[in-house]
Amino acid sequence: MAAKTEQNDLTLLIKSKNPIIVIETHEEDRIIELLTKIAITLGQPQFGWHLTEGLRRMELKDDDLSSLPNTEDPTEALKYIKKMQRKGVYVLFDFHPFMDKEHPQNIRLIKDIALDFELYQQTLIFISHKVRLPQEIRRYGARFELKLPDAYQLEMMIKREAIRWSNANGGIKVRTDKQIMHRLVQNLAGLTFADAKQIIRNIIYDDGAITEDEMESVNKARYQLLDLEGAVHYEYETAHFKEVGGMLALKDWLEKRRRVFLEAKSLGLDQPKGIMLVGVQGGGKSLAAKAVAGMWGVPLLRLDFGALYNKWHGESEKNLRDSLKLAEMMSPCVLWLDEVEKGISTGDNDGGTSKRVLGTLLTFMQENDYPIFMVATANDISALPPEFIRKGRLDEVFFVDLPDDKTRQEIFKIHLSKRKQVHLEFDLIKLAQATDGFSGAEIEQAVVAGLYASLYADEPLKTETILNEIESTSPLSQVMAEKMQALRNWADGRAVIAN
C-alpha cells in the first residue's frame, strides 16, 4: 500500500509539469524500481545518467541498455538532452558536484531545459544523498521524499528475516519475545527499508536471537546510519542506576513512568516530558542523566550548547531546530541538556540570540509529541528563566543534595568494585563518616588517589590509605559553603529531594 502511494505521489509530481524534481535518498535501487514502473505507466521514455556510464534508457530490457555515445561528461549529457528535444523523464544520479558556481554552463543548460518545458516536456530528476539546487534554478524544482517504513512494515520485515533464518537452520525458531520485538521496532524507526533490513539481518544471523543486550548496538548503528551532525552527540556510555548511589526518590519516580514513556500511544496516555536535576557540582546529576537512558533502554543524546551558537543572525536558532529534528529521528530517546543555565540564560549583550534560542526550545518543549524525554541539569538555578522550569514543559524538578552516610557507603562500594577491589575488605562505615560533606565525585577521587598512593608504595589498597587522602582534601561544601546553602534554601519547598 505504501509503495502504491509513493508511486501515485511521484507520478502526480511528473504529470503536474514540474521541470525539475529532486529526490534525496540512499536507496537507489528502490527509486529506480519506482521510476521504471511510472515510466511504463505513463508510456514515456526514461533516460538515466551516471558519471561512469553516460546517458542510456532505463525502462527497457537489459539487452537494449547501451549508453549514448560521448555522454559521460555531465555538460555533454545536458547538451544532448537539450538537443534531443524529446518528451520524457531524465534521471541524473549524483549530479550535485556539477551544479555549483564552478559549473555555470551546467546551471544555464538546466535552466534552458526547464524554460523549454512547455515545448518539449523534459522532466529532469536529480537523485543523490544530498542535492542543493542553485538559486538560479531553485524556483523550477520540486522535492519528493521516499517514505520510511512504519511500525507494521518493520515488524513484518523482522518476521520475514526470522523465517529466512529458520528455513536456513533446520527450522529452528529465532529466540525473542513480544516486548523485545516491540523495542526493536521502536529502535529501527527513522531508518530506510534497506538500512533497517541490514540491521535486522545482523542481529538475527549473529546468534539466532533478538535480545535486550542487542538494543544498544541497534541504537549505535542507527545513529551512524542517520549520519547525525552538529550540536547533538550520541553518548555511547549510558550508566545503569546500580552505578548511581542513593537517589531513591528519583529512581522510584522514573521506574513508575518507564512503561508509559515507551508505550504512551498504545496506553492512551500523555508521555512524560522530562525533569530538571538541580544540585551541587559533582553530586551525580550527569551520571543520573545517563542512567535514565540506561534504565529505560533508549539512546542518550547530549545537546552541546557550545556547538549551537553561531555569530551569524538566525543560525543559532536553525542549529537548535536541526538538533531537535535529529532527536525526533532518534526517538524514543533521552535528550540531555547539560549545565543548561549556560546555554539559555538570557541577556542583552548578544543581540537577542539567547532569547530566540530559548523561545525555540520552549516552543518545542510545549508542543513536542515525539517520545523524547528531556533531562536538564543545572548548578545555578538562579540563572534559569522561570518559564523554562514551569510545569507543562518539564514534569518535575529534583534537587540532588550531597549524599548521606548510607549513600556514601554505597558510593564507596561502587567505586571500589569498579576498580577490582573487594569492598568487604574495607571499613565502609569509617570511610563514610570521614567523608561527611563530600560529593560523589569527590569520593571517587579519594578512591583513585588512594590507588595511586598504594601503587607508589607497592602495597595493596587499604582503608587507611584512602583515609589519608580524605584528610588532605577540602570538599566543595567547605570551599563554597555559602553558595551551597543558598541552593539548599532555594530547593526547600520548590523541588523534590532526589536522595
Side-chain angles (χ1 to χ4, degrees):
M1 183 63 70
K4 196 67 176 175
T5 302
E6 285 179 331
Q7 184 175 331
N8 292 339
D9 291 346
L10 186 50
T11 301
L12 183 60
L13 271 182
I14 295 171
K15 293 175 71 174
S16 299
K17 299 183 178 182
N18 290 289
I20 299 171
I21 298 174
V22 171
I23 304 175
E24 292 183 346
T25 181
H26 290 280
E27 296 186 284
E28 272 195 15
D29 290 342
R30 188 172 158 217
I31 194 64
I32 289 172
E33 181 183 356
L34 191 62
L35 285 168
T36 302
K37 290 179 181 177
I38 292 172
I40 294 171
T41 302
L42 294 178
Q44 292 186 17
Q46 180 172 263
F47 293 85
W49 178 87
H50 297 79
L51 183 61
T52 56
E53 299 174 357
L55 198 63
R56 66 178 185 179
R57 290 288 289 270
M58 287 178 62
E59 83 282 12
L60 301 179
K61 295 180 180 179
D62 291 346
D63 296 340
D64 300 316
L65 289 180
S66 56
S67 298
L68 297 170
N70 304 317
T71 56
E72 291 85 357
D73 180 79
T75 304
E76 293 303 316
L78 289 172
K79 287 180 178 179
Y80 197 103
I81 294 170
K82 180 183 177 183
K83 186 178 180 180
M84 205 177 351
Q85 299 180 348
R86 183 177 182 181
K87 178 180 180 179
V89 175
Y90 298 82
V91 186
L92 297 96
F93 295 90
D94 295 325
F95 205 87
H96 59 283
F98 311 109
M99 289 192 292
D100 57 19
K101 61 183 179 181
E102 296 180 6
H103 299 87
Q105 188 176 9
N106 291 349
I107 297 173
R108 183 66 240 185
L109 283 165
I110 294 169
K111 187 174 183 179
D112 286 344
I113 295 169
L115 290 171
D116 288 340
F117 184 84
E118 289 297 330
L119 288 174
Y120 307 117
Q121 296 189 30
Q122 294 175 304
T123 304
L124 299 178
I125 299 182
F126 294 98
I127 296 176
S128 185
H129 73 290
K130 195 166 187 66
V131 182
R132 182 176 176 83
L133 292 177
Q135 189 67 41
E136 298 93 323
I137 57 176
R138 197 170 299 166
R139 62 179 299 176
Y140 307 108
R143 287 186 173 265
F144 174 78
E145 290 186 7
L146 283 173
K147 289 181 170 55
L148 298 173
D150 58 25
Y152 174 78
Q153 290 170 318
L154 288 169
E155 187 175 343
M156 291 300 102
M157 203 182 302
I158 296 168
K159 289 180 178 178
R160 282 195 298 269
E161 293 303 324
I163 292 171
R164 286 195 183 99
W165 184 91
S166 179
N167 292 338
N169 289 271
I172 301 173
K173 291 188 176 181
V174 173
R175 302 186 309 277
T176 189
D177 60 48
K178 188 175 180 180
Q179 186 176 0
I180 296 299
M181 277 278 289
H182 178 71
R183 285 277 310 284
L184 179 57
V185 168
Q186 282 186 319
N187 290 352
L188 291 173
L191 293 179
T192 65
F193 281 87
D195 289 340
K197 185 182 292 185
Q198 189 58 57
I199 290 179
I200 293 166
R201 285 176 176 172
N202 290 344
I203 294 173
I204 293 176
Y205 281 76
D206 176 41
D207 55 4
I210 304 172
T211 64
E212 176 74 28
D213 295 338
E214 291 169 309
M215 293 303 104
E216 177 65 14
S217 64
V218 171
N219 287 327
K220 289 179 182 178
R222 178 165 61 138
Y223 177 82
Q224 292 165 355
L225 287 167
L226 289 173
D227 195 23
L228 304 184
E229 297 176 351
V232 169
H233 304 287
Y234 186 96
E235 295 290 319
Y236 288 93
E237 295 295 330
T238 53
H240 293 280
F241 261 137
K242 63 183 179 182
E243 299 174 20
V244 182
M247 301 197 191
L248 297 180
L250 175 59
K251 291 175 182 178
D252 180 66
W253 190 93
L254 290 167
E255 184 59 43
K256 289 176 179 176
R257 287 158 178 78
R258 174 180 180 176
R259 186 185 171 200
V260 177
F261 175 72
L262 295 173
E263 305 175 28
K265 289 186 178 179
S266 62
L267 294 172
L269 298 173
D270 293 335
Q271 65 191 26
K273 289 179 175 291
I275 56 174
M276 166 75 76
L277 298 175
V278 182
V280 299
Q281 293 181 2
K285 299 186 300 298
S286 298
L287 186 60
K290 295 179 180 181
V292 175
M295 179 182 184
W296 287 358
V298 296
L300 175 65
L301 304 179
R302 179 173 59 85
L303 183 62
D304 181 0
F305 284 103
L308 198 67
Y309 282 90
N310 189 291
K311 65 179 180 179
W312 302 112
H313 183 80
E315 282 297 306
S316 299
E317 305 92 278
K318 180 181 180 298
N319 290 342
L320 177 58
R321 287 193 295 271
D322 290 344
S323 299
L324 296 173
K325 182 69 176 177
L326 297 178
E328 291 174 357
M329 294 170 66
M330 281 295 291
S331 63
C333 66
V334 172
L335 183 60
W336 174 24
L337 284 62
D338 192 24
E339 296 189 342
V340 66
E341 73 272 26
K342 295 180 180 179
I344 62 170
S345 56
T346 55
D348 298 323
N349 57 351
D350 62 357
T353 298
S354 57
K355 291 182 179 179
R356 292 193 300 271
V357 167
L358 174 62
T360 301
L361 184 59
L362 292 177
T363 300
F364 176 82
M365 293 170 68
Q366 187 70 36
E367 299 179 358
N368 169 55
D369 58 359
Y370 285 85
I372 300 171
F373 188 79
M374 285 194 172
V375 178
T377 59
N379 299 319
D380 184 6
I381 194 69
S382 64
L384 284 170
E387 60 267 33
F388 179 78
I389 56 176
R390 76 166 174 80
K391 291 293 180 73
R393 292 197 172 105
L394 293 172
D395 299 313
E396 195 59 85
V397 178
F398 287 90
F399 177 65
V400 182
D401 204 347
L402 293 172
D404 58 20
D405 187 87
K406 184 177 179 181
T407 303
R408 293 196 298 276
Q409 292 183 45
E410 188 178 345
I411 294 171
F412 269 112
K413 180 179 176 180
I414 289 169
H415 290 299
L416 287 167
S417 299
K418 281 179 68 173
R419 291 160 180 84
K420 297 181 172 58
Q421 302 294 315
V422 181
H423 68 271
L424 294 174
E425 297 177 358
F426 295 82
D427 191 339
L428 298 183
I429 295 176
K430 187 178 290 187
L431 289 170
Q433 291 173 344
T435 50
D436 185 22
F438 277 55
S439 68
E442 289 165 339
I443 291 173
E444 181 181 12
Q445 287 308 306
V447 174
V448 171
L451 274 170
Y452 288 156
S454 65
L455 285 171
Y456 180 77
D458 195 20
E459 62 182 20
L461 180 63
K462 296 179 291 188
T463 299
E464 290 71 22
T465 310
I466 301 176
L467 287 171
N468 289 335
E469 298 299 330
I470 292 170
E471 289 176 6
S472 61
T473 301
S474 295
L476 201 63
S477 61
Q478 295 178 8
V479 177
M480 303 183 68
E482 295 81 6
K483 189 172 183 179
M484 292 182 68
Q485 187 55 50
L487 189 57
R488 287 193 181 99
N489 293 339
W490 176 91
D492 186 22
R494 292 188 177 95
V496 176
I497 305 301
N499 302 64

